[in-house]
Amino acid sequence: MSKVSGCPPEPDHGCPLCPRLVAYRARNRAAEPDWFNGPAPSFGDPGAWLLVVGLAPGRTGANRTGRPFTGDWAGDLLYATLDKVGLSRGTYQARPDDGLELSGVMITNAVRCAPPENKPETGEIAACNPFLAARIQSLPRLTTLICLGKIAHDATLRALGERPSRHSFGHGARHTVAGLTLFDSYHCSRYNTNTGRLTAPMFEAVFHAALASRS
Ligand code: URA
């Protein structure tokens, strides 16, 4: 695993590392001062055995609410799936104060700030990687990760000190890296679900595989 050298698992609300994302945050704050408008902190169980790694907050979703995938289209399927496989308690209501609790799971993002058009640049993914590495290292019970999409897959491998070229991304693929088990899934984005590239049963099957890998 790569050294984190004192990096905390969560960036400050005013993290200055990525000029383009800072400028976007400032524009969003000016337009919507009541929104969260900052790096969305990881959400879930500090005793998690499973870490779900997303891409980045959506502008009107996690960037608005301050909780990963909350209020995002992608969150409807993610939180419904966690409920279905027994990894959450309470009812997801797309609000950070809905009382939802995750059990054994934490959700984070490869890039913590909302990027324009949901597309983080290579340098932004790299700048945020120490936070992902620190988040992974902060979870004492972690055994398993689910990476949502190739960007999350590559970022997670880098955070674990592994070259992405050594592990090809593929929906349902399973990798062993630094003593952890990584599962890949297509991202549960609106595009992927609307086009049928990812269906709810396909997504759920990845979580069942992760659960089965524990025994
Ligand atoms: N919202 C997030 O927090 N992450 C994603 O990857 C997509 C939507």
Side-chain angles (χ1 to χ4, degrees), residues 40 54-58 62 67-70 72 74-75 108-109 148 187:
L55 170 58
R67 195 173 75 178
F69 287 89
T70 299
D72 280 300
T108 193
N109 278 307
L148 304 183
H187 193 285

Side-chain angles (χ1 to χ4, degrees), residues 86-136:
L87 292 173
S88 65
R89 285 188 297 262
T91 306
Y92 170 70
Q93 290 170 45
R95 298 185 275 106
D97 61 353
D98 56 14
L100 184 74
E101 287 179 19
L102 304 189
S103 160
V105 188
M106 186 173 276
I107 304 174
T108 193
N109 278 307
V111 174
R112 305 299 180 84
C113 290
E117 291 167 26
N118 290 327
K119 289 198 177 88
E121 293 179 346
T122 308
E124 294 160 353
I125 299 165
C128 220
N129 203 254
F131 297 108
L132 178 58
R135 177 40 76 200
I136 291 169

Side-chain angles (χ1 to χ4, degrees), residues 23-203:
Y24 190 53
R25 185 197 302 158
R27 289 203 299 280
N28 285 325
R29 188 172 295 138
E32 301 288 351
D34 296 335
W35 287 7
F36 183 77
N37 294 317
S42 310
F43 166 59
D45 185 349
W49 61 270
L50 174 64
L51 183 65
V52 177
V53 184
L55 170 58
R59 177 180 172 273
T60 61
N63 173 67
R64 174 174 59 84
T65 63
R67 195 173 75 178
F69 287 89
T70 299
D72 280 300
W73 170 280
D76 289 353
L77 179 55
L78 176 58
Y79 286 112
T81 304
L82 291 175
D83 178 45
K84 202 156 174 204
V85 303
L87 292 173
S88 65
R89 285 188 297 262
T91 306
Y92 170 70
Q93 290 170 45
R95 298 185 275 106
D97 61 353
D98 56 14
L100 184 74
E101 287 179 19
L102 304 189
S103 160
V105 188
M106 186 173 276
I107 304 174
T108 193
N109 278 307
V111 174
R112 305 299 180 84
C113 290
E117 291 167 26
N118 290 327
K119 289 198 177 88
E121 293 179 346
T122 308
E124 294 160 353
I125 299 165
C128 220
N129 203 254
F131 297 108
L132 178 58
R135 177 40 76 200
I136 291 169
Q137 290 187 5
S138 77
L139 297 173
R141 303 218 172 96
L142 187 70
T143 57
T144 313
L145 299 99
I146 295 179
C147 300
L148 304 183
K150 179 164 167 32
I151 291 177
H153 163 96
D154 287 357
T156 300
L157 289 167
R158 285 209 175 84
L160 292 170
E162 179 71 293
R163 281 206 309 277
S165 57
R166 294 181 59 118
H167 297 269
S168 301
F169 173 82
H171 180 80
R174 175 184 175 150
H175 315 269
T176 303
V177 183
L180 298 168
T181 306
L182 265 70
F183 289 89
D184 292 333
S185 171
Y186 292 138
H187 193 285
C188 47
S189 64
R190 184 196 305 244
Y191 179 82
N192 283 344
T193 51
N194 278 353
T195 57
R197 184 177 176 85
L198 180 71
T199 63
M202 280 168 74
F203 196 51

